[in-house]
Amino acid sequence: MNDQKRNGTPPLPLAPPQSTLSVSGRGALPQYIPHNVRAEQREKLRQDQFGDFTSIPRLIKRNLPHHQSTAKVSIVRKNLVNKLALHDWFHMLLRWTTTFSISILLLVWTFAIIVFALIYMYDDKINPLVECGLGAAGDPIGFNGAFSFSLETCTTVGYGLPNSTNGFFEQSCTSLQAIIYFQMVWSMMFNAFLFSFFFSRLSRSQERSVQVLFSNKAIIERKNGKWVIHIRVYDLDSSLPLVEAHARMYCVSWNEYAKQKSEDLQPQLLQTMRILHPNDELDSSLFPSLPSTITHHIDAYSPLTPSYFRKEANVLHGHGLVLREVDNFTEGRAAMSCPVCGDSYGSYKGLKRHIEFSKKQEDAFGDDLPV
């Protein structure tokens, strides 16, 4: 409390003396209910926040060896229109696992070879007396020979025909020439697709992000009268540093999402958390080759702070803007208003001086109104 008076900041509702701990049952962080809150309000808060947050699944699972994530968001889509996926089918395929995608592509490639083998058999069967090199005259080619020729045509050019003739160049073998042409075109297109597919798989940024390590637990501490939350980050491949790395923090709170129905704005499930260090006004740039700490100030505007505290602290409404209380201390914004006259000040210290000055004026002029 002495630190808070010296810094001119009000006590935040996290862990004050004689406080009651309450845990949100819908994903919010543990919240401390001040002792000076009315009993009925405190009981209502307990009822709203009742539950065990450990049973709620994580939005992003950290299931890799050092608590990294696979960058997959645990969101279940319902009533999905499958036709929409056809417009972005390539990126839908990239979401498959490597083993599954390779297996499917091999099956497609093998199936196409078998289809063309059956076409070669049919073409040679309907013209048994025309010797085009697939089978001898009167003896159409079998499946094994047709499959080998189809595989040879799909992978390369110039190994010759099964019957060792130049029937491919004969005028009477137009149908065979057309079939070989279409198979070669399909083979080139499929090979180009395989090249782009595997290049995209190998160049995915998710694989590089595995080397970026985060602390398993976040730390909440009280420093200089302010409550802050810290997260550490380090790039394992520090010899080849990431360039222009930026930090972002978000809060997903179902409890606050339900309470926002009475607010002026539309409810927001995902709320942005302003970053104190590295300063988000400078784009929160990081150099992760050295162990770095990302700090968020749990101030009156923080989504980790209960909404009722903002009213008790007499903090102006953000009206949709993501604000920081620390900006008030630099006089960059006036957010602390006097409950009597409405004048706003950049810090609690300025508001306190205004109240003390008003009190002296009231005492000097003999006004009976209390200040």
Side-chain angles (χ1 to χ4, degrees):
M1 185 63 70
N2 294 333
D3 294 339
Q4 294 167 346
K5 291 182 178 179
R6 287 196 299 269
N7 290 276
T9 60
L12 286 176
L14 295 174
Q18 299 179 351
S19 61
T20 303
L21 174 63
S22 175
V23 180
S24 171
R26 304 190 68 181
L29 291 176
Q31 299 178 356
Y32 289 85
I33 302 174
H35 182 72
N36 57 356
V37 179
R38 297 193 304 268
E40 59 273 14
Q41 184 180 1
R42 189 164 62 248
E43 183 62 26
K44 184 178 182 301
L45 289 172
R46 288 197 186 98
Q47 294 176 1
D48 293 341
Q49 300 171 357
F50 177 78
D52 182 13
F53 75 99
T54 59
S55 62
I56 298 177
R58 295 184 63 95
L59 183 63
I60 300 178
K61 295 182 179 180
R62 304 176 67 181
N63 49 5
L64 292 180
H66 297 282
H67 309 289
Q68 308 102 311
S69 70
T70 54
K72 292 183 179 179
V73 183
S74 301
I75 296 179
V76 179
R77 297 184 296 269
K78 295 183 179 180
N79 301 323
L80 177 65
V81 180
N82 294 329
K83 294 181 179 179
L84 296 178
L86 297 177
H87 295 279
D88 193 22
W89 58 270
F90 183 75
H91 291 94
M92 295 293 293
L93 296 181
L94 290 178
R95 298 179 184 179
W96 294 350
T97 61
T98 302
T99 303
F100 181 76
S101 59
I102 291 178
S103 300
I104 293 296
L105 292 176
L106 284 177
L107 287 176
V108 172
W109 184 69
T110 305
F111 177 76
I113 292 176
I114 294 175
V115 169
F116 278 100
L118 296 176
I119 296 176
Y120 288 130
M121 292 176 60
Y122 176 77
D123 181 70
D124 199 32
K125 185 177 179 180
I126 61 175
N127 300 305
L129 300 180
V130 179
E131 188 175 353
C132 293
L134 293 180
D139 185 16
I141 190 172
F143 176 77
N144 291 337
F147 179 82
S148 300
F149 178 69
S150 177
L151 177 63
E152 173 188 283
T153 307
C154 189
T155 54
T156 186
V157 179
Y159 283 134
L161 296 173
N163 203 24
S164 300
T165 64
N166 292 326
F168 176 75
F169 302 99
E170 300 294 337
Q171 294 291 335
S172 60
C173 298
T174 307
S175 60
L176 177 62
Q177 298 169 2
I179 297 172
I180 294 177
Y181 169 79
F182 284 111
Q183 185 174 12
M184 291 300 298
V185 170
W186 180 89
S187 177
M188 289 188 296
M189 298 297 292
F190 192 76
N191 290 338
F193 168 78
L194 288 179
F195 178 80
S196 61
F197 179 82
F198 285 109
F199 177 80
S200 301
R201 289 284 300 179
L202 294 175
S203 60
R204 288 179 303 166
S205 58
Q206 290 91 332
E207 303 301 327
R208 178 63 178 90
S209 64
V210 172
Q211 301 186 59
V212 180
L213 307 181
F214 290 86
S215 55
N216 186 27
K217 304 294 182 182
I219 299 176
I220 298 178
E221 68 167 341
R222 183 180 179 183
K223 190 174 183 180
N224 297 328
K226 303 179 181 63
W227 289 93
V228 292
I229 181 172
H230 303 290
I231 298 173
R232 302 203 74 187
V233 59
Y234 173 66
D235 184 12
L236 190 63
D237 191 9
S238 56
S239 59
L240 298 174
L242 294 174
V243 180
E244 288 295 324
H246 305 283
R248 298 291 185 267
M249 295 181 70
Y250 300 94
C251 175
V252 181
S253 176
W254 286 99
N255 191 26
E256 294 296 329
Y257 178 73
K259 292 181 179 180
Q260 289 180 12
K261 293 182 179 179
S262 60
E263 299 289 343
D264 299 334
L265 303 174
Q266 290 293 329
Q268 298 293 330
L269 179 61
L270 186 67
Q271 302 183 44
T272 304
M273 300 171 60
R274 296 294 301 271
I275 298 179
L276 189 64
H277 182 272
N279 191 355
D280 57 9
E281 291 188 346
L282 301 178
D283 213 7
S284 301
S285 298
L286 283 174
F287 186 69
S289 293
L290 299 176
S292 305
T293 302
I294 303 174
T295 303
H296 166 72
H297 180 201
I298 309 177
D299 56 9
Y301 300 103
S302 172
L304 302 182
T305 303
S307 57
Y308 67 85
F309 173 75
R310 300 184 182 94
K311 297 180 180 179
E312 294 184 356
N314 201 37
V315 178
L316 295 180
H317 195 282
H319 296 286
L321 298 178
V322 185
L323 306 178
R324 292 190 310 182
E325 191 175 315
V326 68
D327 296 330
N328 304 333
F329 305 144
T330 59
E331 301 294 337
R333 185 180 69 251
M336 285 66 182
S337 62
C338 176
V340 179
C341 65
D343 290 343
S344 57
Y345 300 87
S347 64
Y348 285 103
K349 187 176 181 180
L351 178 61
K352 182 180 178 182
R353 289 199 302 263
H354 164 71
I355 295 176
E356 292 176 350
F357 176 73
S358 299
K359 186 176 184 304
K360 291 180 180 179
Q361 282 188 321
E362 298 292 342
D363 295 339
F365 291 99
D367 198 335
D368 295 333
L369 296 177
V371 176

